[in-house]
PDB file of all heavy atoms in Angstrom:
ATOM      1  N   ASN A 200      11.578  13.724  40.206  1.00 55.00           N
ATOM      2  CA  ASN A 200      12.169  15.058  40.268  1.00 55.00           C
ATOM      3  C   ASN A 200      13.557  14.929  40.888  1.00 55.00           C
ATOM      4  O   ASN A 200      13.705  14.436  42.005  1.00 55.00           O
ATOM      5  CB  ASN A 200      11.272  15.971  41.119  1.00 55.00           C
ATOM      6  CG  ASN A 200      11.799  17.398  41.181  1.00 55.00           C
ATOM      7  OD1 ASN A 200      12.930  17.667  40.766  1.00 55.00           O
ATOM      8  ND2 ASN A 200      10.986  18.298  41.696  1.00 55.00           N
ATOM      9  N   LYS A 201      14.582  15.340  40.172  1.00 52.00           N
ATOM     10  CA  LYS A 201      15.957  15.152  40.657  1.00 52.00           C
ATOM     11  C   LYS A 201      16.225  15.877  41.964  1.00 52.00           C
ATOM     12  O   LYS A 201      17.140  15.532  42.702  1.00 52.00           O
ATOM     13  CB  LYS A 201      16.951  15.606  39.587  1.00 52.00           C
ATOM     14  CG  LYS A 201      16.958  14.689  38.360  1.00 52.00           C
ATOM     15  CD  LYS A 201      18.042  15.062  37.381  1.00 52.00           C
ATOM     16  CE  LYS A 201      18.051  14.102  36.198  1.00 52.00           C
ATOM     17  NZ  LYS A 201      19.103  14.439  35.210  1.00 52.00           N
ATOM     18  N   SER A 202      15.431  16.903  42.248  1.00 56.00           N
ATOM     19  CA  SER A 202      15.613  17.631  43.509  1.00 56.00           C
ATOM     20  C   SER A 202      14.853  16.972  44.648  1.00 56.00           C
ATOM     21  O   SER A 202      14.950  17.401  45.795  1.00 56.00           O
ATOM     22  CB  SER A 202      15.135  19.081  43.347  1.00 56.00           C
ATOM     23  OG  SER A 202      13.748  19.117  43.066  1.00 56.00           O
ATOM     24  N   GLU A 203      14.113  15.910  44.337  1.00 65.00           N
ATOM     25  CA  GLU A 203      13.321  15.230  45.356  1.00 65.00           C
ATOM     26  C   GLU A 203      14.240  14.574  46.389  1.00 65.00           C
ATOM     27  O   GLU A 203      15.252  13.963  46.054  1.00 65.00           O
ATOM     28  CB  GLU A 203      12.447  14.167  44.683  1.00 65.00           C
ATOM     29  CG  GLU A 203      11.529  13.437  45.648  1.00 65.00           C
ATOM     30  CD  GLU A 203      10.729  12.349  44.947  1.00 65.00           C
ATOM     31  OE1 GLU A 203      10.818  12.261  43.707  1.00 65.00           O
ATOM     32  OE2 GLU A 203      10.018  11.597  45.641  1.00 65.00           O
ATOM     33  N   GLU A 204      13.847  14.691  47.639  1.00 74.00           N
ATOM     34  CA  GLU A 204      14.666  14.153  48.720  1.00 74.00           C
ATOM     35  C   GLU A 204      14.575  12.627  48.751  1.00 74.00           C
ATOM     36  O   GLU A 204      13.512  12.051  48.547  1.00 74.00           O
ATOM     37  CB  GLU A 204      14.192  14.719  50.064  1.00 74.00           C
ATOM     38  CG  GLU A 204      15.096  14.343  51.231  1.00 74.00           C
ATOM     39  CD  GLU A 204      14.626  14.980  52.536  1.00 74.00           C
ATOM     40  OE1 GLU A 204      13.409  15.144  52.710  1.00 74.00           O
ATOM     41  OE2 GLU A 204      15.473  15.309  53.366  1.00 74.00           O
ATOM     42  N   LYS A 205      15.708  12.009  48.996  1.00 86.00           N
ATOM     43  CA  LYS A 205      15.740  10.556  49.093  1.00 86.00           C
ATOM     44  C   LYS A 205      15.153  10.103  50.421  1.00 86.00           C
ATOM     45  O   LYS A 205      15.233  10.799  51.423  1.00 86.00           O
ATOM     46  CB  LYS A 205      17.173  10.037  48.973  1.00 86.00           C
ATOM     47  CG  LYS A 205      17.756  10.115  47.577  1.00 86.00           C
ATOM     48  CD  LYS A 205      19.162   9.546  47.571  1.00 86.00           C
ATOM     49  CE  LYS A 205      19.786   9.653  46.177  1.00 86.00           C
ATOM     50  NZ  LYS A 205      21.171   9.146  46.184  1.00 86.00           N
ATOM     51  N   ILE A 206      14.591   8.896  50.404  1.00 91.00           N
ATOM     52  CA  ILE A 206      14.119   8.226  51.611  1.00 91.00           C
ATOM     53  C   ILE A 206      15.068   7.071  51.890  1.00 91.00           C
ATOM     54  O   ILE A 206      15.419   6.312  50.981  1.00 91.00           O
ATOM     55  CB  ILE A 206      12.684   7.682  51.432  1.00 91.00           C
ATOM     56  CG1 ILE A 206      11.703   8.812  51.115  1.00 91.00           C
ATOM     57  CG2 ILE A 206      12.241   6.900  52.664  1.00 91.00           C
ATOM     58  CD1 ILE A 206      11.448   9.756  52.253  1.00 91.00           C
ATOM     59  N   ILE A 207      15.501   6.942  53.134  1.00 93.00           N
ATOM     60  CA  ILE A 207      16.359   5.816  53.529  1.00 93.00           C
ATOM     61  C   ILE A 207      15.533   4.886  54.406  1.00 93.00           C
ATOM     62  O   ILE A 207      15.012   5.297  55.446  1.00 93.00           O
ATOM     63  CB  ILE A 207      17.609   6.297  54.297  1.00 93.00           C
ATOM     64  CG1 ILE A 207      18.447   7.221  53.413  1.00 93.00           C
ATOM     65  CG2 ILE A 207      18.438   5.095  54.754  1.00 93.00           C
ATOM     66  CD1 ILE A 207      19.612   7.854  54.132  1.00 93.00           C
ATOM     67  N   LEU A 208      15.386   3.650  53.962  1.00 94.00           N
ATOM     68  CA  LEU A 208      14.667   2.636  54.725  1.00 94.00           C
ATOM     69  C   LEU A 208      15.689   1.701  55.364  1.00 94.00           C
ATOM     70  O   LEU A 208      16.415   0.997  54.658  1.00 94.00           O
ATOM     71  CB  LEU A 208      13.722   1.861  53.812  1.00 94.00           C
ATOM     72  CG  LEU A 208      12.655   2.698  53.082  1.00 94.00           C
ATOM     73  CD1 LEU A 208      11.920   1.839  52.055  1.00 94.00           C
ATOM     74  CD2 LEU A 208      11.680   3.314  54.064  1.00 94.00           C
ATOM     75  N   ASN A 209      15.751   1.728  56.661  1.00 94.00           N
ATOM     76  CA  ASN A 209      16.682   0.878  57.410  1.00 94.00           C
ATOM     77  C   ASN A 209      15.913  -0.375  57.811  1.00 94.00           C
ATOM     78  O   ASN A 209      15.074  -0.355  58.707  1.00 94.00           O
ATOM     79  CB  ASN A 209      17.199   1.631  58.640  1.00 94.00           C
ATOM     80  CG  ASN A 209      18.265   0.857  59.388  1.00 94.00           C
ATOM     81  OD1 ASN A 209      18.251  -0.373  59.410  1.00 94.00           O
ATOM     82  ND2 ASN A 209      19.173   1.563  60.023  1.00 94.00           N
ATOM     83  N   ILE A 210      16.204  -1.483  57.137  1.00 92.00           N
ATOM     84  CA  ILE A 210      15.466  -2.732  57.368  1.00 92.00           C
ATOM     85  C   ILE A 210      16.370  -3.707  58.116  1.00 92.00           C
ATOM     86  O   ILE A 210      17.299  -4.274  57.537  1.00 92.00           O
ATOM     87  CB  ILE A 210      14.980  -3.367  56.055  1.00 92.00           C
ATOM     88  CG1 ILE A 210      14.317  -2.328  55.164  1.00 92.00           C
ATOM     89  CG2 ILE A 210      14.055  -4.544  56.350  1.00 92.00           C
ATOM     90  CD1 ILE A 210      13.048  -1.716  55.722  1.00 92.00           C
ATOM     91  N   GLY A 211      16.116  -3.847  59.388  1.00 87.00           N
ATOM     92  CA  GLY A 211      16.913  -4.773  60.196  1.00 87.00           C
ATOM     93  C   GLY A 211      18.386  -4.456  60.181  1.00 87.00           C
ATOM     94  O   GLY A 211      19.220  -5.346  60.325  1.00 87.00           O
ATOM     95  N   GLY A 212      18.764  -3.177  59.970  1.00 87.00           N
ATOM     96  CA  GLY A 212      20.164  -2.768  59.974  1.00 87.00           C
ATOM     97  C   GLY A 212      20.742  -2.553  58.595  1.00 87.00           C
ATOM     98  O   GLY A 212      21.812  -1.960  58.462  1.00 87.00           O
ATOM     99  N   LYS A 213      20.062  -3.006  57.547  1.00 91.00           N
ATOM    100  CA  LYS A 213      20.527  -2.789  56.179  1.00 91.00           C
ATOM    101  C   LYS A 213      19.731  -1.657  55.553  1.00 91.00           C
ATOM    102  O   LYS A 213      18.512  -1.635  55.638  1.00 91.00           O
ATOM    103  CB  LYS A 213      20.373  -4.066  55.348  1.00 91.00           C
ATOM    104  CG  LYS A 213      20.919  -3.933  53.927  1.00 91.00           C
ATOM    105  CD  LYS A 213      20.841  -5.257  53.182  1.00 91.00           C
ATOM    106  CE  LYS A 213      21.392  -5.133  51.762  1.00 91.00           C
ATOM    107  NZ  LYS A 213      21.358  -6.423  51.042  1.00 91.00           N
ATOM    108  N   LYS A 214      20.425  -0.723  54.895  1.00 93.00           N
ATOM    109  CA  LYS A 214      19.766   0.478  54.399  1.00 93.00           C
ATOM    110  C   LYS A 214      19.468   0.385  52.904  1.00 93.00           C
ATOM    111  O   LYS A 214      20.316  -0.022  52.108  1.00 93.00           O
ATOM    112  CB  LYS A 214      20.636   1.709  54.692  1.00 93.00           C
ATOM    113  CG  LYS A 214      20.824   1.970  56.187  1.00 93.00           C
ATOM    114  CD  LYS A 214      21.692   3.184  56.449  1.00 93.00           C
ATOM    115  CE  LYS A 214      21.910   3.383  57.952  1.00 93.00           C
ATOM    116  NZ  LYS A 214      22.739   4.568  58.243  1.00 93.00           N
ATOM    117  N   TYR A 215      18.243   0.766  52.558  1.00 93.00           N
ATOM    118  CA  TYR A 215      17.798   0.858  51.168  1.00 93.00           C
ATOM    119  C   TYR A 215      17.431   2.308  50.886  1.00 93.00           C
ATOM    120  O   TYR A 215      16.680   2.917  51.650  1.00 93.00           O
ATOM    121  CB  TYR A 215      16.571  -0.022  50.918  1.00 93.00           C
ATOM    122  CG  TYR A 215      16.825  -1.509  50.998  1.00 93.00           C
ATOM    123  CD1 TYR A 215      16.849  -2.174  52.224  1.00 93.00           C
ATOM    124  CD2 TYR A 215      17.032  -2.258  49.846  1.00 93.00           C
ATOM    125  CE1 TYR A 215      17.065  -3.542  52.296  1.00 93.00           C
ATOM    126  CE2 TYR A 215      17.246  -3.633  49.906  1.00 93.00           C
ATOM    127  CZ  TYR A 215      17.266  -4.262  51.138  1.00 93.00           C
ATOM    128  OH  TYR A 215      17.491  -5.624  51.210  1.00 93.00           O
ATOM    129  N   GLU A 216      17.973   2.858  49.802  1.00 93.00           N
ATOM    130  CA  GLU A 216      17.670   4.242  49.439  1.00 93.00           C
ATOM    131  C   GLU A 216      16.714   4.271  48.252  1.00 93.00           C
ATOM    132  O   GLU A 216      16.858   3.504  47.305  1.00 93.00           O
ATOM    133  CB  GLU A 216      18.956   4.996  49.084  1.00 93.00           C
ATOM    134  CG  GLU A 216      19.875   5.223  50.277  1.00 93.00           C
ATOM    135  CD  GLU A 216      21.030   6.160  49.955  1.00 93.00           C
ATOM    136  OE1 GLU A 216      20.893   6.956  49.002  1.00 93.00           O
ATOM    137  OE2 GLU A 216      22.056   6.087  50.640  1.00 93.00           O
ATOM    138  N   THR A 217      15.743   5.172  48.314  1.00 92.00           N
ATOM    139  CA  THR A 217      14.793   5.304  47.218  1.00 92.00           C
ATOM    140  C   THR A 217      14.200   6.703  47.265  1.00 92.00           C
ATOM    141  O   THR A 217      14.578   7.530  48.094  1.00 92.00           O
ATOM    142  CB  THR A 217      13.684   4.230  47.328  1.00 92.00           C
ATOM    143  OG1 THR A 217      12.874   4.286  46.161  1.00 92.00           O
ATOM    144  CG2 THR A 217      12.829   4.424  48.564  1.00 92.00           C
ATOM    145  N   PHE A 218      13.259   6.991  46.357  1.00 91.00           N
ATOM    146  CA  PHE A 218      12.569   8.264  46.341  1.00 91.00           C
ATOM    147  C   PHE A 218      11.156   8.096  46.885  1.00 91.00           C
ATOM    148  O   PHE A 218      10.558   7.019  46.780  1.00 91.00           O
ATOM    149  CB  PHE A 218      12.503   8.833  44.914  1.00 91.00           C
ATOM    150  CG  PHE A 218      13.831   9.289  44.373  1.00 91.00           C
ATOM    151  CD1 PHE A 218      14.547   8.483  43.496  1.00 91.00           C
ATOM    152  CD2 PHE A 218      14.358  10.513  44.742  1.00 91.00           C
ATOM    153  CE1 PHE A 218      15.770   8.902  42.994  1.00 91.00           C
ATOM    154  CE2 PHE A 218      15.586  10.939  44.244  1.00 91.00           C
ATOM    155  CZ  PHE A 218      16.290  10.134  43.377  1.00 91.00           C
ATOM    156  N   GLN A 219      10.633   9.169  47.429  1.00 90.00           N
ATOM    157  CA  GLN A 219       9.271   9.142  47.958  1.00 90.00           C
ATOM    158  C   GLN A 219       8.270   8.741  46.873  1.00 90.00           C
ATOM    159  O   GLN A 219       7.371   7.941  47.105  1.00 90.00           O
ATOM    160  CB  GLN A 219       8.909  10.519  48.531  1.00 90.00           C
ATOM    161  CG  GLN A 219       7.499  10.595  49.112  1.00 90.00           C
ATOM    162  CD  GLN A 219       7.193  11.975  49.674  1.00 90.00           C
ATOM    163  OE1 GLN A 219       8.070  12.816  49.817  1.00 90.00           O
ATOM    164  NE2 GLN A 219       5.927  12.212  49.983  1.00 90.00           N
ATOM    165  N   SER A 220       8.456   9.255  45.666  1.00 90.00           N
ATOM    166  CA  SER A 220       7.521   8.965  44.575  1.00 90.00           C
ATOM    167  C   SER A 220       7.533   7.493  44.185  1.00 90.00           C
ATOM    168  O   SER A 220       6.530   6.961  43.699  1.00 90.00           O
ATOM    169  CB  SER A 220       7.843   9.828  43.350  1.00 90.00           C
ATOM    170  OG  SER A 220       9.158   9.567  42.891  1.00 90.00           O
ATOM    171  N   THR A 221       8.673   6.809  44.386  1.00 91.00           N
ATOM    172  CA  THR A 221       8.747   5.384  44.093  1.00 91.00           C
ATOM    173  C   THR A 221       7.807   4.603  44.998  1.00 91.00           C
ATOM    174  O   THR A 221       7.157   3.644  44.568  1.00 91.00           O
ATOM    175  CB  THR A 221      10.189   4.868  44.267  1.00 91.00           C
ATOM    176  OG1 THR A 221      11.056   5.603  43.400  1.00 91.00           O
ATOM    177  CG2 THR A 221      10.301   3.392  43.952  1.00 91.00           C
TER     178      THR A 221
END
Side-chain angles (χ1 to χ4, degrees):
N200 182 349
K201 291 186 178 180
S202 63
E203 183 183 354
E204 187 177 33
K205 287 181 182 178
I206 300 291
I207 299 174
L208 301 172
N209 185 328
I210 313 296
K213 183 176 180 178
K214 296 180 182 181
Y215 292 82
E216 292 189 23
T217 187
F218 290 100
Q219 180 180 349
S220 60
T221 302

